[in-house]
C-alpha cells in the first residue's frame, strides 16, 4: 500500500500488473538506465517527497458520522509548486496516488511548465453522496491538508469524479483560513471565480492535437480515420467531439456502463445530449452495445483510452488493432503491455504527453490568477496548441535521436529535465 523504500530496480519479470506505482517505476527505471542517471539522483527521484494520509470525519445527511480516508502526495517539487488533481473514487490507494503524483512530475516536465508533481485522492463513492455531503467532505479534506496547499507550494485541480464545484469549495475553504481570497491555490475553478477559459476542454483538446500530430507523423489522413474512445467524461467526450470535428469517424465510445459501436460513426452531440439527460451512455440508441473490453479490440485506426488505469495489459495488448493509441487517461497501459504494443508497431502517444493539455491550461489559469488579468479563449487555445505541438515535436525528436519509442522518450526527456534542476540546486544538508 505504500511506495517502496528499497532502491533495487524493479524488473518486468516481477511486475505487478495491477500496481500503478510499479507500472510507473518500471518505465522510470528503464529511462534512468538509458540516461545513465547519476545513482544519487536515481535514489532521490525514486521516492515521493511527502505522503500525507488524513482521516476525514463527515456528518452524513441521515445524522450518522462517517470517517473517510484521504491522501495528498507531493512527489517532487524541484521545478516549482506541486501540481496535480484530486480524485474521489472507491479504488483510491496510497500507491495509486503516489504513482499519479510521479506521473504529474514527469508530465509537467515533458511540457516544460514550472511545476512539480502531486496528486490527491479520497476513498469514497461520490455518486452515493449528496451535494451537502460532498461539500462537507471536500472542505474537511482541504482543511486537513491545508499546510501543504498554497499558490507557491501545492496547487490541486480536478481529476476523476471531481469538478469545478469541488475546486470552488477548495478555493473558498483555503481563502477562509487565510482571511483573503486566494484564487491561485487551485485550478479548474468556475470561470466566475478565476477559472481559465478553455480549461474544461483542455485535456481533450490536447488529446486531439496529439492524435493529429501522430497521424501526420505516420502519413495517415484525418478524414475518415476510425477512432474508438474509452471513457466519456471530461477527457473522452471532449476528445471525441473535437476529433469528429477534425473529420475523423468516431465509431465507438463508452463509459462505466458499457459502450456503443457504430461502424458508420456516432454523432457525438447526440451522445452528449443523451448523457446530459440520462447521466450515463447506457441505452444510447446511436449504435450497438459493446463492452469496454470489446471496445479496446475493435478494428479501428486510433484508440483513445480516456477512463482509468490498467486497461491495456499483457492479456489484451496483442489483440489491439489500432495503429495509434493516444492515452487520455493516466496509466491506461501496463508496463507489460508496452513491449507487445511496440512489437506490433503500435504508435503510442504516452499519457504524460497526450493528456498534458489539462495541466498546461491549469498553468495558464495560475498565471492569470497571479496576474489578475484574464485571457480570451482564443489566446488560451493558441498557447495550448503551441505547447502541445512543441512538446510532441520534442518527444518525437528525442525518440528518433535515441532510437526509443515515444513513451521511453517522454520519460527520458522529463527525467533529464528534473535531474538537471536537482543538479543545479544540489542537496540541502
Ligand atoms: N488531473 C489532471 C491530470 O492528471 C490535471 C492536473 C492539473 O491540472 O493540475 O493531468
Amino acid at each position: 500500500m505504500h511506495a517502496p523504500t528499497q532502491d533495487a530496480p524493479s524488473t518486468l519479470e516481477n511486475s505487478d500488473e495491477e500496481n500503478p506505482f510499479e507500472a510507473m517505476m518500471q518505465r522510470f527505471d528503464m529511462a534512468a538506465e538509458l540516461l545513465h542517471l547519476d545513482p544519487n539522483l536515481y535514489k532521490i527521484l525514486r521516492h515521493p517527497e511527502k505522503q500525507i494520509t488524513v482521516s476525514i470525519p463527515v456528518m452524513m445527511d441521515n445524522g450518522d458520522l462517517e470517517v473517510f480516508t484521504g491522501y495528498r502526495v507531493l512527489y517532487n517539487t524541484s521545478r516549482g509548486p506541486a501540481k496535480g488533481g484530486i480524485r474521489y473514487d472507491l479504488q483510491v490507494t496510497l500507491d495509486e496516488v503516489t504513482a499519479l503524483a510521479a506521473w504529474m512530475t514527469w508530465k509537467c516536465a515533458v511540457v516544460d511548465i514550472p511545476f512539480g508533481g502531486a496528486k490527491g485522492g479520497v476513498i469514497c463513492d461520490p455518486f452515493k453522496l449528496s451535494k451537502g455531503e460532498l461539500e462537507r467532505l471536500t472542505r474537511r479534506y482541504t482543511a486537513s491538508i491545508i499546510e501543504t496547499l498554497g499558490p507557491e507550494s501545492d496547487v490541486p485541480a480536478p481529476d476523476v469524479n471531481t469538478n469545478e464545484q469541488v475546486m470552488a469549495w477548495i478555493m473558498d475553504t483555503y481563502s477562509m483560513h487565510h482571511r483573503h481570497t486566494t484564487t491561485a491555490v487551485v485550478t479548474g475553478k468556475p470561470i466566475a471565480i478565476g477559472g481559465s477559459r478553455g480549461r474544461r476542454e483542455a485535456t481533450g483538446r490536447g488529446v486531439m492535437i496529439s492524435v493529429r500530430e501522430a497521424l501526420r507523423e505516420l502519413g495517415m489522413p484525418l478524414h475518415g480515420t476510425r477512432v474508438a474512445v474509452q471513457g466519456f467524461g471530461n477527457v473522452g467526450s471532449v476528445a471525441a467531439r473535437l476529433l469528429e470535428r477534425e473529420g475523423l469517424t468516431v465509431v465507438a465510445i463508452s463509459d462505466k456502463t458499457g459502450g456503443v459501436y457504430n461502424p458508420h460513426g456516432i454523432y457525438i452531440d447526440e451522445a452528449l445530449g443523451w448523457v446530459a439527460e440520462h447521466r450515463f451512455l447506457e441505452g444510447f440508441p446511436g449504435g450497438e452495445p459493446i463492452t469496454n473490453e470489446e471496445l479496446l479490440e475493435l478494428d479501428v485506426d486510433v484508440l483513445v483510452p480516456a477512463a482509468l488505469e490498467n486497461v491495456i495489459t499483457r492479456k489484451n495488448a496483442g489483440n489491439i488493432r489500432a495503429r495509434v493509441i493516444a492515452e487520455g487517461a493516466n496509466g491506461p497501459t501496463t508496463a507489460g503491455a508496452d513491449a507487445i504494443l511496440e512489437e506490433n508497431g503500435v504508435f503510442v502517444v504516452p499519457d504524460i504527453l497526450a493528456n498534458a493539455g489539462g495541466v498546461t491550461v491549469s498553468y495558464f489559469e495560475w498565471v492569470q490568477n497571479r496576474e489578475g488579468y484574464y485571457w480570451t479563449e482564443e489566446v488560451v487555445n493558441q498557447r495550448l496548441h503551441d505547447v502541445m505541438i512543441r512538446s510532441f515535436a520534442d518527444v518525437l525528436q528525442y525518440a528518433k535521436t535515441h532510437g526509443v519509442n515515444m513513451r521511453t522518450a517522454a520519460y527520458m526527456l522529463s527525467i533529464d529535465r528534473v535531474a538537471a534542476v536537482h543538479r543545479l540546486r544540489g542537496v540541502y544538508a
Side-chain angles (χ1 to χ4, degrees):
M1 285 281 284
H2 31 76
T5 48
Q6 77 278 24
D7 290 314
S10 42
T11 63
L12 285 177
E13 286 73 45
N14 69 13
S15 84
D16 172 357
E17 284 238 293
E18 295 297 309
N19 182 328
F21 190 80
E22 271 303 305
M24 188 283 298
M25 232 357 124
Q26 283 174 11
R27 276 69 169 258
F28 172 82
D29 281 345
M30 187 194 283
E33 205 176 310
L34 289 167
L35 281 170
H36 304 293
L37 185 67
D38 175 308
N40 288 337
L41 284 176
Y42 174 80
K43 282 186 197 161
I44 291 175
L45 295 180
R46 266 193 134 253
H47 294 91
E49 274 177 25
K50 194 185 279 184
Q51 291 174 304
I52 305 168
T53 302
V54 293
S55 297
I56 311 161
V58 177
M59 198 53 86
M60 308 301 279
D61 291 348
N62 65 4
D64 288 350
L65 185 124
E66 264 189 50
V67 180
F68 296 88
T69 301
Y71 306 107
R72 183 74 181 164
V73 175
L74 275 57
Y75 197 84
N76 187 288
T77 58
S78 59
R79 286 171 46 88
K83 190 82 194 77
I86 291 171
R87 61 174 57 182
Y88 289 171
D89 196 77
L90 281 175
Q91 308 308 321
V92 164
T93 64
L94 183 54
D95 245 5
E96 181 201 43
V97 176
T98 305
L100 290 160
W103 275 319
M104 286 309 302
T105 307
W106 316 136
K107 191 186 297 184
C108 291
V110 166
V111 287
D112 208 7
I113 56 177
F115 284 141
K119 205 77 172 196
V122 177
I123 307 171
C124 67
D125 182 352
F127 296 101
K128 295 221 171 96
L129 299 177
S130 70
K131 194 169 179 198
E133 290 166 343
L134 213 51
E135 177 172 356
R136 293 193 289 282
L137 172 82
T138 301
R139 289 187 182 276
R140 184 59 190 256
Y141 169 66
T142 306
S144 302
I145 60 165
I146 204 144
E147 289 86 358
T148 173
L149 301 179
E152 296 290 348
S153 53
D154 184 9
V155 186
D159 198 75
V160 174
N161 298 336
T162 57
N163 57 19
E164 293 176 1
Q165 177 61 74
V166 173
M167 300 307 116
W169 290 326
I170 294 174
M171 190 279 255
D172 184 69
T173 306
Y174 181 91
S175 297
M176 287 295 129
H177 277 256
H178 286 79
R179 320 308 290 169
H180 58 87
T181 296
T182 311
T183 50
V185 69
V186 63
T187 60
K189 299 178 292 294
I191 288 175
I193 57 165
S196 177
R197 291 185 173 78
R199 172 64 185 87
R200 199 184 303 160
E201 298 80 20
T203 313
R205 182 173 292 278
V207 170
M208 177 274 284
I209 296 169
S210 299
V211 170
R212 228 170 44 189
E213 291 305 288
L215 293 175
R216 191 216 307 266
E217 170 62 19
L218 298 171
M220 292 165 70
L222 290 173
H223 198 81
T225 289
R226 297 158 307 159
V227 54
V229 181
Q230 185 184 59
F232 208 63
N234 184 45
V235 181
S237 68
V238 174
R241 191 163 51 82
L242 295 179
L243 287 167
E244 180 187 60
R245 212 176 280 171
E246 291 294 311
L248 285 87
T249 307
V250 182
V251 296
I253 53 175
S254 71
D255 64 16
K256 65 182 202 175
T257 63
V260 273
Y261 172 62
N262 185 340
H264 306 295
I266 292 165
Y267 291 105
I268 301 304
D269 278 340
E270 272 177 21
L272 285 166
W274 179 270
V275 170
E277 205 177 317
H278 301 87
R279 192 153 160 191
F280 295 112
L281 278 171
E282 197 168 22
F284 173 61
E288 58 182 86
I290 51 165
T291 65
N292 264 296
E293 293 71 36
E294 287 165 346
L295 178 140
L296 297 170
E297 300 179 11
L298 286 173
D299 183 16
V300 292
D301 307 297
V302 177
L303 178 62
V304 178
L308 287 170
E309 293 102 271
N310 296 336
V311 294
I312 302 173
T313 65
R314 258 198 209 109
K315 287 197 202 94
N316 63 359
N319 302 334
I320 283 176
R321 288 187 270 177
R323 175 84 174 86
V324 173
I325 296 179
E327 296 181 335
N330 292 309
T333 308
T334 66
D338 277 349
I340 300 168
L341 295 174
E342 178 155 22
E343 211 174 285
N344 292 344
V346 182
F347 186 93
V348 178
V349 189
D351 45 8
I352 56 174
L353 172 63
N355 72 35
V359 76
T360 300
V361 176
S362 276
Y363 167 54
F364 297 161
E365 181 170 329
W366 180 81
V367 168
Q368 292 171 77
N369 292 156
R370 287 154 56 102
E371 279 185 320
Y373 178 72
Y374 289 85
W375 310 348
T376 63
E377 190 165 349
E378 289 68 43
V379 168
V380 171
N381 287 346
Q382 184 57 49
R383 290 182 178 170
L384 168 62
H385 177 264
D386 294 348
V387 168
M388 291 304 301
I389 298 282
R390 172 180 44 74
S391 307
F392 190 98
D394 283 352
V395 174
L396 187 63
Q397 180 62 43
Y398 206 97
K400 287 182 177 167
T401 309
H402 295 266
V404 294
N405 63 33
M406 290 286 280
R407 189 187 312 281
T408 304
Y411 271 79
M412 288 174 75
L413 181 64
S414 58
I415 292 168
D416 209 15
R417 283 180 177 160
V418 176
V421 169
H422 273 275
R423 270 193 290 273
L424 286 168
R425 292 182 62 158
V427 177
Y428 178 69

